[in-house]
Amino acid sequence: MRQYDSYVEYLLITNGNVWDGERVLNGPNSIHVKNGLIHNHNSGEKAKQSLLDHADIEHIDLGTSFITPGFIDAHTHILHAGDRQFEKEMRKQGASYLDILKAGGGIKHTVQKTCESSNKHLKKLIDERFSKMQTTGTTTIEVKTGYGLSKNDELNHLRLYAEWSKEKKARIVPTLLMAHTVPDKKNRKEYLEEVVETAKIARQENLTSRFDVFLESGAFSQKETEFLLSHACSLGYQITLHAGQFSEMNGVDIAVRHGASSIDHAEHLKTGDVKKLSESGIAVGILPMCNIELDTNIQPDARFLIDSGVEVFLATDLNAGSSFCTSLLDVGRLALRDLKMTNEEILKSVTSVPAKTIGLKKIGKIKKGYIADLGVWKNNIDKFFEKNNKLEILFVEGNKVVN
């Protein structure tokens, strides 16, 4: 997980507050960073004392800035080429997402453009998108495949992710989403077997430990999803599901049976599903930008989920056709406006909850021993998602990447 080769020791000082991933700690605050890790964090009188205790190391005075852990975007399709702006006009004419998919648009269009692109070009696109993400506080991203839809292309994209993250010192969590849709001219049963074979190779090469399926009419049926997840579980994959986006297809029951870490989208749930999610500890990934772009007029009931004890995380769902968003800050603004979430709940949903959900340890909190991924912000918690807020500094493993 560690990306950098050298580190500087220093003490961050603010008279402002800190969101530590779970709660707000009132200022003053001091954060001692050493070897890319949070060596210690003190607030109140202890913060003042730490200035005397560490007089011999560099002090970085941040005034009254608000500090958070680096944001974690736990659902992205960042690797893609091609432009699908033409789909907006189709939607204006009444076409649904599934109508567009059947007409050769959607995922299939992006697959064609992505597979036609060189790895060099794809890396450039990923780099440009991730740079934008960092300017709004994101330090870690989950990255899906799913725009290759063949053994060779999917494995190539996983290898490309590994190369890019090493070259750019970017922290990523790759997920195999070869079960995104069935390519035209491929036999469904044979394609399912190809997905399983690809999953075996990906595990053997240690390219990914996460497996995703798009459970939906027009994508993969309940029976097909169960078949794929059974094999993925036998290979030791962590399971997540695209489920409940356009219709309810028993996604929660399937997720529970296979020990999934999350279901993402979850706009359509049946009676009793929320209780099952709460009891099983399965998180819900909410992707509000996608619903705005698709003009579905529906969002998951985040308030009911949270009040029922379900952990939720927010993500951009960055992709070629239904969410062009790179900013978790913008997603948070939507959640404040449309999902009845509080500032604290939103910050938790982009820090500690996604870290836990995608299996990251020592990330997503400001706590002794955790990696020093830190965002320094203009606005305090009460005005955090107002439009005038801005990122002042971003640290990754204690190194400034945005200043």
Side-chain angles (χ1 to χ4, degrees):
M1 181 180 286
R2 301 293 295 278
Q3 303 282 343
Y4 288 83
D5 300 321
S6 61
Y7 301 94
V8 178
E9 183 178 5
Y10 51 84
L11 192 72
L12 295 179
I13 307 154
T14 180
N15 284 318
N17 298 340
V18 163
W19 170 260
D20 73 353
E22 296 179 328
R23 62 193 183 281
V24 174
L25 297 174
N26 292 330
N29 282 273
S30 67
I31 302 172
H32 182 191
V33 176
K34 184 177 182 180
N35 295 326
L37 302 175
I38 296 169
H39 192 64
N40 217 340
H41 170 219
N42 291 300
S43 60
E45 290 302 316
K46 287 185 178 180
K48 295 178 182 178
Q49 182 60 43
S50 70
L51 299 179
L52 301 174
D53 295 341
H54 300 290
D56 56 334
I57 64 174
E58 180 185 0
H59 289 191
I60 301 177
D61 188 348
L62 300 174
T64 59
S65 296
F66 183 60
I67 303 177
T68 70
F71 293 165
I72 300 164
D73 195 341
H75 186 126
T76 83
H77 304 257
I78 195 172
L79 192 161
H80 65 263
D83 187 341
R84 281 164 49 192
Q85 294 288 338
F86 67 90
E87 293 180 9
K88 286 188 175 183
E89 189 58 37
M90 294 178 70
R91 285 195 287 272
K92 287 180 182 179
Q93 301 302 319
S96 69
Y97 180 82
L98 295 178
D99 291 334
I100 293 169
L101 187 65
K102 290 175 184 176
I107 296 166
K108 295 176 182 179
H109 179 84
T110 303
V111 168
Q112 178 187 344
K113 297 300 181 183
T114 302
C115 291
E116 289 172 353
S117 299
S118 67
N119 280 1
K120 181 179 180 181
H121 179 60
L122 291 173
K123 282 184 184 180
K124 182 175 181 290
L125 293 174
I126 297 171
D127 202 32
E128 290 171 353
R129 292 161 187 158
F130 185 62
S131 293
K132 290 180 181 178
M133 290 174 153
Q134 287 187 317
T135 63
T136 54
T138 298
T139 55
T140 304
I141 55 173
E142 184 262 13
V143 294
K144 300 184 189 293
T145 65
Y147 293 134
L149 304 191
S150 71
K151 180 179 71 174
N152 290 341
D153 285 316
E154 291 284 309
L155 290 172
N156 176 52
H157 292 167
L158 285 172
R159 293 171 187 137
L160 187 153
Y161 274 140
E163 291 170 7
W164 174 80
S165 66
K166 185 176 181 180
E167 291 166 2
K168 298 298 181 180
K169 301 187 185 303
R171 187 177 303 108
I172 64 170
V173 178
T175 299
L176 181 63
L177 180 58
M178 189 172 172
H180 208 182
T181 190
V182 178
D184 292 336
K185 301 179 182 178
K186 281 198 177 183
N187 175 276
R188 293 190 75 88
K189 185 176 180 181
E190 290 177 357
Y191 186 67
L192 293 176
E193 295 293 347
E194 186 178 354
V195 173
V196 172
E197 183 184 358
T198 305
K200 289 178 181 177
I201 297 170
R203 287 296 281 155
Q204 289 167 357
E205 294 188 21
N206 198 30
L207 294 171
T208 178
S209 60
R210 283 172 49 85
F211 189 90
D212 195 352
V213 178
F214 187 15
L215 171 63
E216 189 56 75
S217 174
F220 290 86
S221 69
Q222 296 174 52
K223 183 178 180 180
E224 290 168 337
T225 299
E226 297 259 28
F227 171 83
L228 291 171
L229 294 186
S230 295
H231 282 281
C233 287
S234 72
L235 293 168
Y237 276 97
Q238 180 190 50
I239 302 301
T240 186
L241 274 179
H242 280 61
Q245 183 177 8
F246 301 109
S247 60
E248 196 290 304
M249 293 178 61
N250 290 320
V252 171
D253 292 332
I254 292 172
V256 170
R257 277 197 292 276
H258 294 278
S261 62
S262 74
I263 65 167
D264 298 5
H265 287 291
E267 288 87 348
H268 298 273
L269 299 175
K270 67 177 184 293
T271 303
D273 275 352
V274 173
K275 183 179 180 182
K276 292 174 186 175
L277 290 167
S278 177
E279 291 174 346
S280 64
I282 296 172
V284 171
I286 297 179
L287 316 170
M289 281 292 186
C290 179
N291 298 317
I292 295 292
E293 184 63 35
L294 294 179
D295 196 22
T296 62
N297 294 315
I298 185 171
Q299 295 281 12
D301 192 342
R303 184 74 270 143
F304 181 55
L305 287 165
I306 293 169
D307 290 344
S308 300
V310 178
E311 288 195 307
V312 304
F313 65 87
L314 293 165
T316 60
D317 192 21
L318 171 62
N319 70 76
S322 60
S323 180
F324 313 108
C325 177
T326 57
S327 170
L328 282 174
L329 200 59
D330 286 344
V331 171
R333 291 182 183 122
L334 268 182
L336 193 65
R337 187 191 75 182
D338 297 344
L339 302 182
K340 301 178 181 178
M341 294 174 69
T342 66
N343 290 288
E344 290 85 352
E345 288 167 344
I346 295 168
L347 281 177
K348 188 175 182 181
S349 77
V350 295
T351 54
S352 57
V353 174
K356 174 184 173 183
T357 303
I358 60 178
L360 293 173
K361 296 180 179 179
K362 306 300 182 182
I363 293 285
K365 295 181 183 180
I366 297 176
K367 187 176 180 181
K368 185 175 182 178
Y370 274 59
I371 290 175
D373 286 3
L374 304 165
V376 179
W377 301 88
K378 173 187 172 185
N379 287 5
N380 192 16
I381 181 74
D382 58 329
K383 296 182 178 179
F384 193 84
F385 293 101
E386 291 186 0
K387 285 192 175 181
N388 69 341
N389 194 15
K390 75 171 196 173
L391 180 72
E392 297 175 333
I393 307 173
L394 186 68
F395 295 90
V396 175
E397 292 186 19
N399 290 273
K400 289 182 184 179
V401 296
V402 176
N403 186 11

